[in-house]
Amino acid sequence: MEKFTKFTGIAAPMPLVNIDTDMIIPKGFLKTIKRTGLGVHAFDEMRYNTDGSENPDFVLNKPAYRATQILVAGDNFGCGSSREHAPWALADFGIKVVISTSFADIFFNNCFKNGMLPIVLPQEQVDILMADAERGENARVTVDLDAQEITTSDGQVISFDVDAFKKHCLLNGLDDIGLTLEKASSIQSFETRMAAQRPWV
């Protein structure tokens, strides 16, 4: 998993509340077990018209937001079913950070496991970032995970909380497999010891 440290990117305003996982990636695209290739279908039903053409009114189709890496969203983002395809689709689109006042628990945890940072902030701070995002592509936002700070395009700094263990995993690019491999020598020592003590197993 790619390490997450500090980056500056375009933030897109998505003030809808209760954006569920079916809105993020509709059920028709859940057949794959690959983490790649789903970005083109992220927000499919809002992003495209019934004839397959792009909906010009959808925020991520607007020229200013095509390279979006940060979503500033309404309350209860990622609710609904527990499909991990939702963070897969966002990550494949290029999203690195989602900011909201609240997230569904399963989606929230799946973000960390897929290299994305979900940030929970009070409504008044989300409102500041939403207004900043509405300025378009020239309004770049900086997210510094190590310092746990967001800097708006005009230099305003907003601090955020993050679980220390999840922060460690993102900073070091560790998913569940990576965490296991960190303990490879200890696992090997245990297996060698057990093989000597219980060779019949």
Side-chain angles (χ1 to χ4, degrees):
M1 196 167 72
E2 184 180 347
K3 292 181 180 181
F4 187 119
T5 52
K6 177 181 179 180
F7 80 97
T8 299
I10 298 168
M14 197 171 286
L16 296 174
V17 299
N18 301 320
I19 295 177
D20 63 28
T21 53
D22 191 55
M23 294 169 69
I24 297 171
I25 185 71
K27 60 185 178 182
F29 302 106
L30 303 185
K31 298 175 184 178
T32 182
I33 57 171
K34 295 180 180 179
R35 297 188 185 193
T36 57
L38 289 171
V40 69
H41 302 299
F43 301 106
D44 192 86
E45 293 177 358
M46 293 187 286
R47 195 168 158 196
Y48 302 106
N49 298 314
T50 54
D51 63 359
S53 62
E54 288 189 350
N55 172 9
D57 296 325
F58 182 61
V59 62
L60 298 182
N61 288 337
K62 296 179 179 180
Y65 299 110
R66 286 187 176 273
T68 288
Q69 292 180 291
I70 304 166
L71 288 181
V72 185
D75 189 55
N76 198 27
F77 191 90
C79 57
S81 66
S82 59
R83 64 190 67 167
E84 194 170 3
H85 292 69
W88 290 357
L90 293 179
D92 194 56
F93 180 87
I95 302 299
K96 293 183 177 294
V97 177
V98 183
I99 301 168
S100 178
T101 53
S102 69
F103 294 87
D105 286 343
I106 294 175
F107 176 85
F108 183 80
N109 289 314
N110 280 339
C111 282
F112 287 101
K113 292 181 179 182
N114 288 280
M116 284 192 300
L117 175 62
I119 298 175
V120 178
L121 292 174
Q123 185 65 61
E124 57 268 23
Q125 292 181 329
V126 172
D127 290 343
I128 290 170
L129 292 167
M130 191 77 73
D132 194 42
E134 287 171 352
R135 297 178 184 179
E137 63 184 326
N138 292 324
R140 303 263 171 162
V141 174
T142 298
V143 178
D144 186 336
L145 176 57
D146 194 34
Q148 296 180 206
E149 292 178 343
I150 302 167
T151 305
T152 66
S153 61
D154 59 4
Q156 184 170 351
V157 177
I158 296 173
S159 298
F160 62 89
D161 294 325
V162 62
D163 176 82
F165 174 72
K166 291 181 171 66
K167 177 180 178 179
H168 168 79
C169 291
L170 282 181
L171 286 173
N172 292 281
L174 298 172
D175 57 11
D176 289 345
I177 294 173
L179 283 168
T180 302
L181 291 175
E182 274 197 322
K183 308 294 183 182
S185 60
S186 297
I187 293 169
Q188 183 59 50
S189 296
F190 173 80
E191 290 179 343
T192 301
R193 189 170 64 253
M194 287 300 101
Q197 293 175 1
R198 299 187 292 177
W200 59 88
V201 175

